Amino acid sequence: SAGLLFPSWEGRVLAAGDAVMTRDFYRYRQGYYISEDQPRSVQTIDWIAQNADVVIPGHDNYFLTAATKFNRED
């Protein structure tokens, strides 16, 4: 998977590709079901949360990281 992080007036925007499939995958800190390395997927999502303000996921509408809190049921 490849992504592109770039500055904009709204903050740092990440076109995430399949690193973030949808807002729900981001929220639940999950890689896609067939991801080869789930722990690495979680690390990637954590990095995204620290470095991007807006995420354009591979298969969903854009969302703001500050407005999308992680589900902490674990």
Side-chain angles (χ1 to χ4, degrees), residues 37-51:
D37 190 343
Q38 285 293 331
R40 182 70 175 143
S41 294
V42 172
Q43 289 176 341
T44 299
I45 290 170
D46 289 343
W47 184 91
I48 291 168
Q50 295 297 315
N51 292 284

Side-chain angles (χ1 to χ4, degrees), residues 10 15 17-18 20-22 28 38-39 44 47 49 51 70 73:
E10 289 76 23
D18 288 345
V20 178
M21 296 296 282
T22 67
Y28 288 97
Q38 285 293 331
T44 299
W47 184 91
N51 292 284
F70 289 137
E73 292 180 358

